[in-house]
């Protein structure tokens, strides 16, 4: 029996919780949550998305080579480096002033990893499905002991919260605050020169909030450590599986589930 079969979702029905942490009703999850979890495919698409943000770098291929300098050859008691006509000054070679670089970054280096559209779609569906499995969420390192249910589904009122304190209270009632504190305790100073380049701190990822429409929740939640907010139409592997590891602790609003059903439809793969 495969791991996927051992931890299969018992039912597609899940509870919907209000802002007080009370279960008000149950809804049927979209069939996308039954997509087989493919860590290999998720990792592949994650890397493709990450490389798409890289900017190509490279020197001018002719830099340091625009000279008529030639070597004198042997028999003159000097090094056989190319020298400028009418003088003794060396040129073109890496050790000469104004010469070419020894090992410059190449302009033709392939830094973007391409991925098929169907693979990207399936990987996103697979990453969504992983958010419903306690096994994958716990394996990522999230605190799930006090979480009411996975996946966590809340009423649409959650999208209208505009104060960080209100989001914090809801998280506490749903058992999600422990994971936010884990992210806060994990903030550390980056090793290396990145400290000088605007990325001084490394911060663990915590809760992902998936909404149908941002009605203020993004401003309310942005100051919480490791918390991200995204609309269902924009959700992708990089948000659902940071680092390429599936199973991010995710909160869905009721309307977001309907948007996911419209976007992905039935089960693939």
């Amino acid at each position: 029996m495969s791991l996927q079969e051992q931890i299969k979702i018992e039912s597609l029905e899940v509870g919907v919780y209000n802002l007080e942490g009370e279960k008000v009703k149950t809804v049927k999850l979209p069939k996308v949550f039954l997509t087989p979890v493919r860590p290999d495919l998720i990792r592949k698409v994650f890397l493709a998305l990450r490389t798409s943000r890289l900017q190509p770098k490279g020197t001018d291929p002719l830099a340091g080579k625009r000279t008529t300098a030639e070597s004198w050859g042997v028999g003159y008691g000097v090094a056989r480096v190319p020298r400028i006509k009418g003088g003794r000054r060396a040129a073109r070679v890496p050790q000469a002033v104004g010469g070419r670089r020894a090992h410059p970054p190449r302009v033709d280096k392939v830094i973007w990893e391409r991925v098929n559209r169907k693979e990207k779609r399936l990987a996103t569906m697979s990453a969504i499905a992983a958010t419903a499995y306690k096994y994958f969420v716990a394996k990522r390192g999230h605190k799930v002991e006090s979480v009411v249910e996975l996946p966590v589904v809340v009423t649409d009122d959650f999208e209208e919260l505009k104060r960080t304190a209100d989001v914090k209270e809801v998280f506490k009632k749903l058992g999600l605050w422990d994971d936010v504190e884990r992210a806060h305790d994990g903030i550390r100073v980056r090793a290396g020169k990145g400290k000088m380049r605007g990325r001084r701190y490394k911060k663990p990822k915590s809760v992902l909030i998936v909404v149908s429409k941002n009605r203020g929740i993004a401003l309310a939640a942005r100051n919480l450590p490791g918390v991200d907010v995204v609309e269902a139409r924009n959700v992708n592997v990089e948000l659902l599986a940071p680092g390429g590891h599936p199973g991010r602790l995710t909160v869905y609003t009721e309307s977001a589930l309907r948007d996911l059903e419209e976007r992905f439809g039935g089960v693939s793969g």
Side-chain angles (χ1 to χ4, degrees), residues 203-222:
K203 183 187 300 182
K205 289 292 185 181
S206 182
V207 180
L208 173 66
I209 302 172
V210 181
V211 298
S212 175
K213 190 174 182 181
N214 175 27
R215 297 184 175 88
I217 184 64
L219 287 175
R222 69 180 181 179

PDB file of all heavy atoms in Angstrom, residues 203-222:
ATOM      1  N   LYS A 203      13.292  34.333   7.454  1.00  0.00           N
ATOM      2  CA  LYS A 203      12.073  34.149   8.227  1.00  0.00           C
ATOM      3  C   LYS A 203      11.347  32.891   7.752  1.00  0.00           C
ATOM      4  O   LYS A 203      11.085  32.751   6.548  1.00  0.00           O
ATOM      5  CB  LYS A 203      11.167  35.361   8.052  1.00  0.00           C
ATOM      6  CG  LYS A 203       9.892  35.325   8.876  1.00  0.00           C
ATOM      7  CD  LYS A 203       8.972  36.484   8.524  1.00  0.00           C
ATOM      8  CE  LYS A 203       9.637  37.820   8.788  1.00  0.00           C
ATOM      9  NZ  LYS A 203       8.719  38.963   8.498  1.00  0.00           N
ATOM     10  N   PRO A 204      11.042  31.952   8.650  1.00  0.00           N
ATOM     11  CA  PRO A 204      10.303  30.742   8.255  1.00  0.00           C
ATOM     12  C   PRO A 204       8.915  31.080   7.733  1.00  0.00           C
ATOM     13  O   PRO A 204       8.334  32.111   8.089  1.00  0.00           O
ATOM     14  CB  PRO A 204      10.222  29.932   9.555  1.00  0.00           C
ATOM     15  CG  PRO A 204      11.299  30.481  10.424  1.00  0.00           C
ATOM     16  CD  PRO A 204      11.431  31.924  10.067  1.00  0.00           C
ATOM     17  N   LYS A 205       8.369  30.213   6.900  1.00  0.00           N
ATOM     18  CA  LYS A 205       7.009  30.379   6.391  1.00  0.00           C
ATOM     19  C   LYS A 205       6.012  29.798   7.395  1.00  0.00           C
ATOM     20  O   LYS A 205       6.247  28.736   7.969  1.00  0.00           O
ATOM     21  CB  LYS A 205       6.846  29.687   5.046  1.00  0.00           C
ATOM     22  CG  LYS A 205       7.567  30.375   3.911  1.00  0.00           C
ATOM     23  CD  LYS A 205       6.932  31.719   3.595  1.00  0.00           C
ATOM     24  CE  LYS A 205       7.583  32.369   2.377  1.00  0.00           C
ATOM     25  NZ  LYS A 205       6.986  33.686   2.087  1.00  0.00           N
ATOM     26  N   SER A 206       4.909  30.504   7.557  1.00  0.00           N
ATOM     27  CA  SER A 206       3.868  30.043   8.469  1.00  0.00           C
ATOM     28  C   SER A 206       2.570  29.820   7.689  1.00  0.00           C
ATOM     29  O   SER A 206       2.578  29.142   6.669  1.00  0.00           O
ATOM     30  CB  SER A 206       3.680  31.062   9.595  1.00  0.00           C
ATOM     31  OG  SER A 206       2.715  30.611  10.516  1.00  0.00           O
ATOM     32  N   VAL A 207       1.478  30.418   8.111  1.00  0.00           N
ATOM     33  CA  VAL A 207       0.156  30.161   7.536  1.00  0.00           C
ATOM     34  C   VAL A 207       0.001  30.864   6.187  1.00  0.00           C
ATOM     35  O   VAL A 207       0.431  32.006   6.012  1.00  0.00           O
ATOM     36  CB  VAL A 207      -0.944  30.641   8.502  1.00  0.00           C
ATOM     37  CG1 VAL A 207      -2.331  30.371   7.920  1.00  0.00           C
ATOM     38  CG2 VAL A 207      -0.798  29.955   9.854  1.00  0.00           C
ATOM     39  N   LEU A 208      -0.621  30.176   5.237  1.00  0.00           N
ATOM     40  CA  LEU A 208      -1.019  30.774   3.961  1.00  0.00           C
ATOM     41  C   LEU A 208      -2.527  30.972   3.980  1.00  0.00           C
ATOM     42  O   LEU A 208      -3.276  30.037   4.284  1.00  0.00           O
ATOM     43  CB  LEU A 208      -0.629  29.868   2.787  1.00  0.00           C
ATOM     44  CG  LEU A 208      -1.140  30.316   1.415  1.00  0.00           C
ATOM     45  CD1 LEU A 208      -0.482  31.627   0.994  1.00  0.00           C
ATOM     46  CD2 LEU A 208      -0.894  29.237   0.366  1.00  0.00           C
ATOM     47  N   ILE A 209      -2.964  32.187   3.686  1.00  0.00           N
ATOM     48  CA  ILE A 209      -4.397  32.500   3.657  1.00  0.00           C
ATOM     49  C   ILE A 209      -4.829  32.619   2.204  1.00  0.00           C
ATOM     50  O   ILE A 209      -4.325  33.475   1.463  1.00  0.00           O
ATOM     51  CB  ILE A 209      -4.688  33.811   4.415  1.00  0.00           C
ATOM     52  CG1 ILE A 209      -4.216  33.708   5.863  1.00  0.00           C
ATOM     53  CG2 ILE A 209      -6.173  34.135   4.360  1.00  0.00           C
ATOM     54  CD1 ILE A 209      -4.299  35.013   6.631  1.00  0.00           C
ATOM     55  N   VAL A 210      -5.746  31.759   1.782  1.00  0.00           N
ATOM     56  CA  VAL A 210      -6.261  31.772   0.410  1.00  0.00           C
ATOM     57  C   VAL A 210      -7.678  32.336   0.439  1.00  0.00           C
ATOM     58  O   VAL A 210      -8.561  31.773   1.086  1.00  0.00           O
ATOM     59  CB  VAL A 210      -6.259  30.364  -0.215  1.00  0.00           C
ATOM     60  CG1 VAL A 210      -6.782  30.416  -1.648  1.00  0.00           C
ATOM     61  CG2 VAL A 210      -4.857  29.764  -0.177  1.00  0.00           C
ATOM     62  N   VAL A 211      -7.872  33.464  -0.239  1.00  0.00           N
ATOM     63  CA  VAL A 211      -9.169  34.133  -0.237  1.00  0.00           C
ATOM     64  C   VAL A 211      -9.693  34.233  -1.659  1.00  0.00           C
ATOM     65  O   VAL A 211      -8.955  34.068  -2.634  1.00  0.00           O
ATOM     66  CB  VAL A 211      -9.054  35.544   0.387  1.00  0.00           C
ATOM     67  CG1 VAL A 211      -8.616  35.453   1.839  1.00  0.00           C
ATOM     68  CG2 VAL A 211      -8.096  36.422  -0.407  1.00  0.00           C
ATOM     69  N   SER A 212     -10.979  34.538  -1.757  1.00  0.00           N
ATOM     70  CA  SER A 212     -11.577  34.766  -3.072  1.00  0.00           C
ATOM     71  C   SER A 212     -11.261  36.168  -3.554  1.00  0.00           C
ATOM     72  O   SER A 212     -10.935  36.389  -4.715  1.00  0.00           O
ATOM     73  CB  SER A 212     -13.094  34.554  -3.007  1.00  0.00           C
ATOM     74  OG  SER A 212     -13.692  34.886  -4.243  1.00  0.00           O
ATOM     75  N   LYS A 213     -11.366  37.128  -2.633  1.00  0.00           N
ATOM     76  CA  LYS A 213     -11.076  38.521  -2.962  1.00  0.00           C
ATOM     77  C   LYS A 213     -10.501  39.213  -1.737  1.00  0.00           C
ATOM     78  O   LYS A 213     -10.969  39.000  -0.618  1.00  0.00           O
ATOM     79  CB  LYS A 213     -12.348  39.235  -3.428  1.00  0.00           C
ATOM     80  CG  LYS A 213     -12.099  40.610  -4.019  1.00  0.00           C
ATOM     81  CD  LYS A 213     -13.363  41.195  -4.595  1.00  0.00           C
ATOM     82  CE  LYS A 213     -13.093  42.562  -5.221  1.00  0.00           C
ATOM     83  NZ  LYS A 213     -14.318  43.179  -5.768  1.00  0.00           N
ATOM     84  N   ASN A 214      -9.477  40.013  -1.947  1.00  0.00           N
ATOM     85  CA  ASN A 214      -8.858  40.732  -0.838  1.00  0.00           C
ATOM     86  C   ASN A 214      -9.713  41.945  -0.474  1.00  0.00           C
ATOM     87  O   ASN A 214      -9.758  42.931  -1.198  1.00  0.00           O
ATOM     88  CB  ASN A 214      -7.447  41.170  -1.230  1.00  0.00           C
ATOM     89  CG  ASN A 214      -6.798  42.022  -0.158  1.00  0.00           C
ATOM     90  OD1 ASN A 214      -7.125  41.915   1.022  1.00  0.00           O
ATOM     91  ND2 ASN A 214      -5.884  42.881  -0.570  1.00  0.00           N
ATOM     92  N   ARG A 215     -10.381  41.860   0.670  1.00  0.00           N
ATOM     93  CA  ARG A 215     -11.216  42.964   1.142  1.00  0.00           C
ATOM     94  C   ARG A 215     -10.601  43.645   2.368  1.00  0.00           C
ATOM     95  O   ARG A 215     -11.297  44.292   3.137  1.00  0.00           O
ATOM     96  CB  ARG A 215     -12.619  42.449   1.484  1.00  0.00           C
ATOM     97  CG  ARG A 215     -13.380  41.883   0.298  1.00  0.00           C
ATOM     98  CD  ARG A 215     -14.793  41.481   0.685  1.00  0.00           C
ATOM     99  NE  ARG A 215     -15.558  41.050  -0.455  1.00  0.00           N
ATOM    100  CZ  ARG A 215     -15.599  39.811  -0.914  1.00  0.00           C
ATOM    101  NH1 ARG A 215     -14.894  38.870  -0.299  1.00  0.00           N
ATOM    102  NH2 ARG A 215     -16.337  39.492  -1.963  1.00  0.00           N
ATOM    103  N   GLY A 216      -9.309  43.492   2.559  1.00  0.00           N
ATOM    104  CA  GLY A 216      -8.622  44.109   3.681  1.00  0.00           C
ATOM    105  C   GLY A 216      -7.747  43.146   4.454  1.00  0.00           C
ATOM    106  O   GLY A 216      -6.896  43.557   5.247  1.00  0.00           O
ATOM    107  N   ILE A 217      -7.927  41.853   4.224  1.00  0.00           N
ATOM    108  CA  ILE A 217      -7.194  40.843   4.987  1.00  0.00           C
ATOM    109  C   ILE A 217      -5.694  40.916   4.721  1.00  0.00           C
ATOM    110  O   ILE A 217      -4.886  40.626   5.611  1.00  0.00           O
ATOM    111  CB  ILE A 217      -7.742  39.430   4.678  1.00  0.00           C
ATOM    112  CG1 ILE A 217      -7.061  38.382   5.540  1.00  0.00           C
ATOM    113  CG2 ILE A 217      -7.593  39.116   3.203  1.00  0.00           C
ATOM    114  CD1 ILE A 217      -7.307  38.524   7.011  1.00  0.00           C
ATOM    115  N   ALA A 218      -5.294  41.326   3.513  1.00  0.00           N
ATOM    116  CA  ALA A 218      -3.863  41.376   3.195  1.00  0.00           C
ATOM    117  C   ALA A 218      -3.145  42.395   4.079  1.00  0.00           C
ATOM    118  O   ALA A 218      -2.040  42.147   4.567  1.00  0.00           O
ATOM    119  CB  ALA A 218      -3.653  41.708   1.720  1.00  0.00           C
ATOM    120  N   LEU A 219      -3.767  43.546   4.299  1.00  0.00           N
ATOM    121  CA  LEU A 219      -3.169  44.559   5.168  1.00  0.00           C
ATOM    122  C   LEU A 219      -3.177  44.099   6.617  1.00  0.00           C
ATOM    123  O   LEU A 219      -2.263  44.399   7.381  1.00  0.00           O
ATOM    124  CB  LEU A 219      -3.929  45.877   5.038  1.00  0.00           C
ATOM    125  CG  LEU A 219      -3.717  46.667   3.740  1.00  0.00           C
ATOM    126  CD1 LEU A 219      -4.631  47.877   3.718  1.00  0.00           C
ATOM    127  CD2 LEU A 219      -2.272  47.108   3.613  1.00  0.00           C
ATOM    128  N   ALA A 220      -4.218  43.360   6.997  1.00  0.00           N
ATOM    129  CA  ALA A 220      -4.340  42.929   8.386  1.00  0.00           C
ATOM    130  C   ALA A 220      -3.328  41.846   8.733  1.00  0.00           C
ATOM    131  O   ALA A 220      -2.853  41.771   9.864  1.00  0.00           O
ATOM    132  CB  ALA A 220      -5.759  42.425   8.650  1.00  0.00           C
ATOM    133  N   ALA A 221      -2.975  40.997   7.764  1.00  0.00           N
ATOM    134  CA  ALA A 221      -2.148  39.828   8.066  1.00  0.00           C
ATOM    135  C   ALA A 221      -0.691  39.983   7.657  1.00  0.00           C
ATOM    136  O   ALA A 221       0.134  39.139   8.009  1.00  0.00           O
ATOM    137  CB  ALA A 221      -2.734  38.593   7.381  1.00  0.00           C
ATOM    138  N   ARG A 222      -0.362  41.056   6.949  1.00  0.00           N
ATOM    139  CA  ARG A 222       0.990  41.127   6.372  1.00  0.00           C
ATOM    140  C   ARG A 222       2.083  41.289   7.418  1.00  0.00           C
ATOM    141  O   ARG A 222       3.245  41.009   7.143  1.00  0.00           O
ATOM    142  CB  ARG A 222       1.065  42.270   5.367  1.00  0.00           C
ATOM    143  CG  ARG A 222       0.983  43.657   5.981  1.00  0.00           C
ATOM    144  CD  ARG A 222       1.069  44.731   4.926  1.00  0.00           C
ATOM    145  NE  ARG A 222       1.009  46.075   5.509  1.00  0.00           N
ATOM    146  CZ  ARG A 222       1.088  47.182   4.790  1.00  0.00           C
ATOM    147  NH1 ARG A 222       1.229  47.105   3.475  1.00  0.00           N
ATOM    148  NH2 ARG A 222       1.032  48.367   5.371  1.00  0.00           N
TER     149      ARG A 222
END
